[in-house]
Amino acid sequence: MVMLKNFTELVDRVKSCPRKTVAVVCADDEHALEAVIRADDIIDAILVGDTRQIAEKLRDLNQNPNDFKLVQVPEGQHPAVTAAKLIQNGEADFLMKGRISTGDLLKGVLSDESGLRKYRLMSHVSIQEVPGYHKLIFLTDSGMCINPDLEQKKQILINVLDFMRRLGYEKPSVAALCAIETVNPSMPETLDAQELKKMVEDGIIGNCDFEGPISYDVAMVPEAARIKGYDSNNSGNFDVLFVPNLLAGNLLGKSLVYTLKGKMAGLILGARVPIVLTSRSSTAEEKYNSLAIAASVATGD
């Protein structure tokens, strides 16, 4: 079974495979352009948007616009649809957000014209390389779905399992994080974790080893599981940390990065191709890692 230990291992794998091409939606964005320039050793890029403005931004970054492929968005067409047509024509393999709001980007991606809709719900996955942990952690959803109900959590789980299957994980281990390890009617997230576990056991949701409700300490530290008397097959070895809401995921993800000095990447899942979504405050390394992991799963259906 595949187990990615760190981003270096992931990048090495990407470099050994055929190069993929990212279509950057509204590419007249300094941060997005910095990302594709930084990642020119692993991916090719098509810059979609206002070509005059894109060329100006490239010159500001001391780049020659003639070294890049620029595509003008036709009048009246959504830029995400223009980028999607590149994917439909086999010219690009995945998308990246440029100078466009996430909501507007998703509006175009979800339109019938784009042909990119796969599932009803899109969700975010944050991939974390944390010092002291022996492999990459997949944290979801920490960036899109604010307070998902049970049905939405089911789709978030389906999204991340589909994504990990593309990475080569046959049966990833999933920890449904809660404050406690028992079901408490006063804590709805524990009830949802119980229901999700039943769905996995009944074969309704894809192949994974699902545990929950489970607290973070029990999920990450075998000694904590032993002390609390929690019988876990995966304590200290989980692949996916499945959080109950965006607040929990956002706080946990930022704690791993800013306090523990972890490295991360971020993608939007649920479309026919991965979508790279990086914060304006993201480091060049985070952008690079995000493009690398998107390229590694951009295999099409």
Side-chain angles (χ1 to χ4, degrees), residues 35-296:
V36 298
I37 293 167
R38 166 76 171 81
D40 67 352
D41 62 331
I42 55 172
I43 54 100
D44 296 318
I46 301 176
L47 308 178
V48 178
D50 183 321
T51 55
R52 181 186 60 81
Q53 293 183 11
I54 296 171
E56 183 178 327
K57 290 288 185 180
L58 285 169
R59 285 190 285 268
D60 289 343
L61 294 170
N62 299 315
Q63 300 293 314
N64 183 352
N66 293 327
D67 293 338
F68 297 82
K69 182 174 181 179
L70 279 58
V71 173
Q72 177 68 43
V73 176
E75 185 176 353
Q77 187 173 86
H78 194 289
V81 171
T82 305
K85 289 184 181 297
L86 296 172
I87 291 172
Q88 292 170 9
N89 295 335
E91 298 177 62
D93 302 291
F94 62 102
L95 300 181
M96 180 178 186
K97 175 182 176 291
R99 192 176 60 83
I100 183 173
S101 71
T102 301
D104 195 18
L105 173 68
L106 295 181
K107 180 181 178 181
V109 169
L110 291 172
S111 69
D112 292 337
E113 193 177 1
S114 80
L116 294 180
R117 179 188 287 271
K118 183 173 183 179
Y119 298 125
R120 290 181 58 191
L121 181 76
M122 289 189 178
S123 56
H124 184 268
V125 62
S126 172
I127 301 92
Q128 305 270 351
E129 179 184 325
V130 182
Y133 201 68
H134 60 290
K135 59 182 176 180
L136 295 179
I137 297 171
F138 299 81
L139 176 65
T140 194
D141 179 330
S142 58
M144 284 194 68
C145 301
I146 299 174
N147 284 304
D149 59 23
L150 178 60
E151 185 60 30
Q152 290 171 321
K153 288 179 180 179
K154 172 186 172 183
Q155 188 59 62
I156 292 169
L157 184 55
I158 289 171
N159 286 351
V160 76
L161 293 179
D162 180 51
F163 164 68
M164 297 189 72
R165 176 183 58 79
R166 291 172 182 256
L167 277 175
Y169 287 76
E170 295 178 5
K171 191 177 182 179
S173 52
V174 181
L177 296 184
C178 298
I180 58 176
E181 300 81 40
T182 55
V183 176
N184 185 333
S186 298
M187 304 174 78
E189 63 274 12
T190 66
L191 296 170
D192 288 347
Q194 182 186 50
E195 288 300 313
L196 289 170
K197 182 176 178 64
K198 187 175 186 301
M199 290 182 195
V200 171
E201 292 172 346
D202 291 344
I204 298 173
I205 297 177
N207 193 31
C208 68
D209 192 354
F210 188 97
E211 294 186 35
I214 185 171
S215 60
Y216 180 82
D217 56 337
V218 170
M220 300 299 285
V221 183
E223 180 64 10
R226 186 191 67 79
I227 291 172
K228 290 188 173 182
Y230 186 93
D231 184 16
S232 171
N233 296 323
N234 300 292
S235 180
N237 195 42
F238 279 102
D239 298 301
V240 180
L241 299 182
F242 189 91
V243 295
N245 53 44
L246 186 146
L247 174 61
N250 183 276
L251 292 175
L252 176 56
K254 287 181 178 177
S255 296
L256 295 176
V257 171
Y258 292 105
T259 305
L260 294 182
K261 305 302 179 184
K263 302 174 184 178
M264 72 160 289
L267 299 178
I268 295 176
L269 308 177
R272 294 196 178 278
V273 297
I275 302 171
V276 175
L277 184 100
T278 57
S279 166
R280 295 182 68 86
S281 63
S282 300
T283 65
E285 186 175 30
E286 179 180 329
K287 297 169 186 174
Y288 181 87
N289 292 337
S290 298
L291 284 164
I293 202 159
S296 70

